[in-house]
């Protein structure tokens, strides 16, 4: 899939809370083909402490409005700079990067945690467009760590789990009653321990499972070889050969 | 106007891409016309496939980054049998960076690359800081550096560039040693050995604890070393270290580099090499320079 470097305009900034915000970015022309699960590398402007671009999942795509939405967690200098930007500002993106989700399965389960819910919104939208209604299970330590959850509602059966019980079932996503339903495909993105638990369960049940990884990255296009995961076939670049991997390619990683 | 020469290599312009920052060139084909580059130096290649170091291998630091990739590569056989055939038709100089843990490994790899018609040069990497055996070990001792270069020289017949490490007391001494051993050119600098600590987690940022520093932070050191070496050797010098603009490249050229390599900046802007080439042309026009070689080594 062809990659581009393009200036986008921030047309909407939404602040969920002190941890999360979203930016809706408009392309000057029609957007190229983008898969659910792909990501962008965002140039961080006007911050001398930040050298490298930041990889951020594509949260949503609106082909009619030519917009990409990013859900961003404030974690460091790069994302804090993005949080200080305003509607009308320009952001330069290298995109769309990596391989997305396969969109297989007629009765799929989507499991997201924290910022990892980001790529699952566009995935659920794409599945819905194919006539598939996914079960969407989102979790976080507390209610405010599951931002943008309302946006998932039109695209599937939404269920929530929080460790403090502030919304949804109290506990981990893997303890939610809906987790053990009969699904034919599982997609997961979120904290590493959560993804490993989900993948171990799926593999034990023989359900095809795809995990979306987030490693520290420099280039985002498979040139620097910094973001590798120790797959069953050796080191693989998360940026180029991922970020979505079949769980059965990562059995060592999952079981460690 | 921008044409320059490194030994027998004719470069359309002095802008090359630095090994380990540009993959095999293909990764950048969506963004730029690879044929406009003076040369592409592909990923460090070893006698056997290598997995490299464990993750994490990268840490951002002020105006720079540390890496500890550790020469992950497909190995020379796969390079010759597969990768080469994908990139051999490029209308630019495709140069292979050759690395190893022993003189035998360097020679084996260099000999296999020598047999490839469309690879006019190798860059002998005696300066990788991220491998346990060999690598920088060959580049920090003048006698060992001379030995590996003279052995490779015996079996390698095209342009032989030797990439030098800055992690030495006197880079000039190493440069003179490899020149005497038969190098056709030297490129410098490889990364500076560095280290960063995540104080919250109370752990080193890299799995290998130490790694190689690159990016704008190293540029003044690189310019100084290029200037010192260019005044000490007769073979052409290729300058690299923190180049991200035409002005940066011009500093190296004026310090005595006959060509430059762009590395870390490719990660930040995959089109940066084209901007540098255009910027060099603009500079020449602005200053009434008819041939870029007029300004090489003017300092």
């Amino acid at each position: 899939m062809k990659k581009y470097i393009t200036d986008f305009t921030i047309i909407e900034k939404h602040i969920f809370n002190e941890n999360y915000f979203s930016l809706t970015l408009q392309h000057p022309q029609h957007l190229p083909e983008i898969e659910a699960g792909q990501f962008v590398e965002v140039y961080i402007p006007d911050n001398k402490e930040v050298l490298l671009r930041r990889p951020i999942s594509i949260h949503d795509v609106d082909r009619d409005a030519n917009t990409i939405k990013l859900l961003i967690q404030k974690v460091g200098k790069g994302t804090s700079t993005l949080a200080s930007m305003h509607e009308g500002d320009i952001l330069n993106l290298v995109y769309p990067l990596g391989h997305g989700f396969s969109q297989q399965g007629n009765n799929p389960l989507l499991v997201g945690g924290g910022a990892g819910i980001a790529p699952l919104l566009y995935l659920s939208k794409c599945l819905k467009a194919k006539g598939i209604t996914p079960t969407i299970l989102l979790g976080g330590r507390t209610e405010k760590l599951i931002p943008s959850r309302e946006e998932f509602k039109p695209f599937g059966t939404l269920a929530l789990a929080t460790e403090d019980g502030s919304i949804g079932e109290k506990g981990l996503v893997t303890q939610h009653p809906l987790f053990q339903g009969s699904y034919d495909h599982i997609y997961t993105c979120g904290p590493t321990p959560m993804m490993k638990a989900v993948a171990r369960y799926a593999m034990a049940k023989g359900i095809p499972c795809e995990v979306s990884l987030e490693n520290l990255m420099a280039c985002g296009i498979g040139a620097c070889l910094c973001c590798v995961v120790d797959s069953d076939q050796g080191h693989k670049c998360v940026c180029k050969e991922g970020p979505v991997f079949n769980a059965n390619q990562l059995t060592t990683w999952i079981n460690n | 106007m921008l044409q320059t020469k490194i030994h027998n290599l004719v470069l359309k312009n002095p802008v090359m891409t630095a090994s380990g920052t540009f993959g095999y060139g293909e990764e950048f084909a969506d963004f730029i016309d690879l044929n406009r580059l003076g040369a592409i130096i592909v990923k460090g290649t070893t006698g056997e496939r290598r997995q490299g170091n464990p993750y994490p291998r990268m840490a951002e630091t002020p105006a720079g980054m540390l890496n500890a990739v550790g020469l992950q590569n497909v190995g020379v056989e796969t390079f010759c049998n597969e990768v080469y055939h994908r990139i051999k038709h490029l209308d630019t100089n495709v140069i292979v960076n050759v690395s190893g843990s022993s003189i035998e490994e360097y020679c084996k790899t260099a000999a296999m690359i020598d047999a490839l018609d469309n690879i006019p040069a190798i860059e002998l990497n005696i300066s990788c800081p991220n491998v346990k055996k060999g690598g920088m070990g060959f580049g920090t001792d003048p006698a060992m550096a001379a030995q590996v270069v003279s052995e490779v020289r015996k079996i390698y017949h095209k342009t032989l560039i030797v990439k030098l490490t800055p992690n030495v007391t006197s880079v000039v001494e190493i440069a003179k040693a490899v020149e005497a051993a038969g190098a056709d050119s030297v490129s410098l600098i490889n990364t500076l050995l560095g280290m960063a600590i995540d104080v919250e987690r109370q752990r080193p940022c890299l799995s290998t604890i130490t790694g190689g520093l690159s990016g704008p932070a190293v540029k003044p050191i690189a310019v100084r070393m290029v200037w010192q070496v260019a005044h000490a050797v007769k073979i052409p010098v290729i300058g690299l270290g923190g180049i991200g603009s035409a002005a940066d490249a011009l500093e190296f050229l004026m310090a005595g580099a006959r060509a430059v390599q762009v590395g870390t900046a490719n990660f930040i802007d995959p089109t940066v090499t084209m901007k540098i080439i255009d910027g060099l042309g603009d500079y020449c026009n602005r200053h009434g320079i008819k041939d870029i070689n007029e300004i090489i080594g003017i300092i």
Side-chain angles (χ1 to χ4, degrees):
Chain A
M1 194 179 283
K2 187 169 161 60
K3 299 181 277 286
Y4 300 85
I5 178 167
T6 308
D7 281 341
F8 282 70
T9 307
I10 300 173
I11 58 162
E12 191 185 350
K13 176 181 177 183
H14 179 77
I15 298 167
F16 291 96
N17 50 52
E18 66 272 28
N19 302 102
Y20 284 98
F21 63 101
S22 69
L23 297 175
T24 304
L25 310 174
Q26 191 168 46
H27 188 277
Q29 288 111 29
H30 287 299
L31 286 172
E33 194 187 340
I34 296 171
E35 289 175 2
Q38 289 189 299
F39 67 99
V40 302
E41 278 264 40
V42 184
Y43 179 76
I44 308 295
D46 305 324
N47 186 337
K48 288 199 162 54
E49 288 184 67
V50 177
L51 178 71
L52 300 168
R53 287 174 183 263
R54 294 295 187 263
I56 297 176
S57 288
I58 294 170
H59 188 40
D60 197 7
V61 175
D62 184 335
R63 304 202 67 86
D64 295 328
N66 299 321
T67 58
I68 290 175
K69 190 188 271 190
L70 307 177
L71 174 66
I72 304 170
Q73 183 183 17
K74 256 204 275 185
V75 286
K77 293 182 290 242
T79 47
S80 295
T81 300
L82 293 177
S84 71
M85 296 188 72
H86 305 288
E87 289 164 8
D89 288 348
I90 301 294
L91 271 187
N92 182 267
L93 306 188
V94 174
Y95 79 108
L97 302 177
H99 289 283
F101 296 105
S102 69
Q103 301 187 29
Q104 288 172 349
N106 293 314
N107 182 25
L109 172 68
L110 280 50
V111 186
I117 71 173
L120 301 183
L121 178 64
Y122 189 47
L123 174 62
S124 61
K125 194 176 179 179
C126 291
L127 290 169
K128 183 77 179 173
K130 289 171 68 176
I132 293 161
T133 305
T135 300
I136 306 161
L137 184 49
L138 307 180
R141 261 188 298 115
T142 182
E143 176 258 336
K144 70 178 185 186
L145 299 180
I146 320 176
S148 79
R149 55 184 179 267
E150 295 299 317
E151 296 175 42
F152 287 79
K153 276 188 178 161
F155 307 120
T157 308
L158 179 64
L160 305 173
T162 50
E163 288 173 48
D164 66 357
S166 51
I167 195 167
E169 293 284 322
K170 184 170 180 180
L172 302 171
V173 282
T174 47
Q175 295 164 329
H176 194 286
L178 276 180
F179 181 68
Q180 302 211 356
S182 56
Y183 304 104
D184 60 359
H185 212 100
I186 298 179
Y187 300 91
T188 184
C189 185
T192 299
M194 184 205 86
M195 285 196 289
K196 287 183 175 179
V198 171
R200 274 197 295 269
Y201 169 81
M203 292 177 83
K205 292 276 181 185
I207 305 168
C209 179
E210 296 174 34
V211 298
S212 178
L213 304 189
E214 180 189 49
N215 277 4
L216 283 173
M217 253 172 223
C219 71
I221 57 174
C224 70
L225 312 184
C226 288
C227 63
V228 292
V229 61
D230 201 5
S231 85
D232 298 348
Q233 297 83 40
H235 282 146
K236 299 258 186 210
C237 278
V238 168
C239 70
K240 189 179 175 184
E241 291 154 298
V244 177
F245 291 91
N246 283 319
N248 60 17
Q249 293 177 273
L250 300 179
T251 56
T252 314
W253 180 82
I254 287 162
N255 292 309
N256 269 340
Chain B
M1 180 169 68
L2 295 180
Q3 185 174 302
T4 182
K5 267 186 90 176
I6 299 289
H7 186 239
N8 292 330
L9 285 183
V10 177
L11 311 180
K12 291 173 189 170
N13 59 68
V15 180
M16 308 170 133
T17 58
S19 177
T21 69
F22 207 67
Y24 295 109
E26 301 163 301
E27 291 81 352
F28 288 80
D30 280 348
F31 304 106
I32 61 172
D33 178 1
L34 297 169
N35 295 328
R36 285 192 66 203
L37 292 163
I40 295 172
I41 306 188
V42 303
K43 179 71 196 162
T45 301
T46 51
E48 306 295 332
R49 171 184 290 271
R50 288 201 192 188
Q51 276 297 308
N53 292 318
Y55 179 86
R57 298 171 162 189
M58 189 277 285
E60 190 179 49
T61 55
M65 65 177 274
L66 289 164
N67 89 80
V69 171
L71 293 178
Q72 177 178 330
N73 78 100
V74 296
V76 67
E77 281 171 35
T78 303
F79 177 82
C80 293
N81 296 333
E82 295 174 24
V83 182
Y84 171 66
H85 296 288
R86 301 200 305 260
I87 60 176
K88 66 182 178 185
H89 303 297
L90 287 172
D91 181 24
T92 180
N93 295 291
V94 177
I95 298 171
V96 178
N97 179 285
V98 171
S99 297
S101 298
S102 64
I103 289 178
E104 294 71 33
E105 187 181 5
Y106 278 109
C107 288
K108 170 194 164 180
T109 307
M112 289 181 71
I113 303 293
D114 196 35
L116 303 176
D117 289 341
N118 293 353
I119 306 289
I122 60 171
E123 180 181 61
L124 203 65
N125 180 2
I126 58 168
S127 46
C128 179
N130 294 325
V131 289
K132 285 200 184 78
K133 282 170 59 185
M136 196 169 81
F138 287 103
T140 53
D141 177 78
M144 279 184 68
Q147 195 188 353
V148 66
V149 171
S150 64
E151 292 299 320
V152 171
R153 180 76 286 176
K154 286 178 196 163
I155 53 93
Y156 187 74
H157 306 95
K158 303 178 201 171
T159 299
L160 175 59
I161 303 162
V162 180
K163 188 168 185 178
L164 305 181
T165 174
N167 302 304
V168 291
T169 309
S170 169
V171 71
V172 167
E173 199 183 339
I174 309 283
K176 283 179 166 172
V178 303
E179 179 183 40
D184 298 316
S185 171
V186 286
S187 56
L188 66 154
I189 57 174
N190 204 321
T191 54
L192 280 149
L193 201 55
M195 179 169 164
I197 296 169
D198 180 337
V199 296
E200 290 301 320
R201 296 169 67 220
Q202 305 185 353
R203 287 164 62 171
C205 292
L206 300 176
S207 69
T208 49
I209 304 177
T210 63
L213 179 66
S214 64
V218 311
K219 194 189 75 178
I221 300 168
V223 173
R224 182 265 294 180
M225 289 189 166
V226 164
W227 178 75
Q228 288 177 315
V229 170
H231 283 79
V233 298
K234 293 188 177 64
I235 52 176
V237 174
I238 301 167
L240 70 151
I243 296 175
S245 68
D248 295 338
L250 284 159
E251 280 195 65
F252 281 86
L253 297 175
M254 290 181 190
R258 201 77 63 84
V260 296
Q261 295 177 15
V262 179
T264 303
N266 290 308
F267 303 154
I268 300 149
D269 179 359
T271 68
V272 69
T273 46
M274 300 297 109
K275 291 174 183 167
I276 294 173
I277 294 166
D278 292 341
L280 291 177
D282 291 345
Y283 181 88
C284 289
N285 289 334
R286 249 183 325 117
H287 289 264
I289 295 164
K290 293 201 171 53
D291 179 350
I292 192 93
N293 291 286
E294 289 171 30
I295 58 156
I296 288 173
I298 58 169
I299 305 293

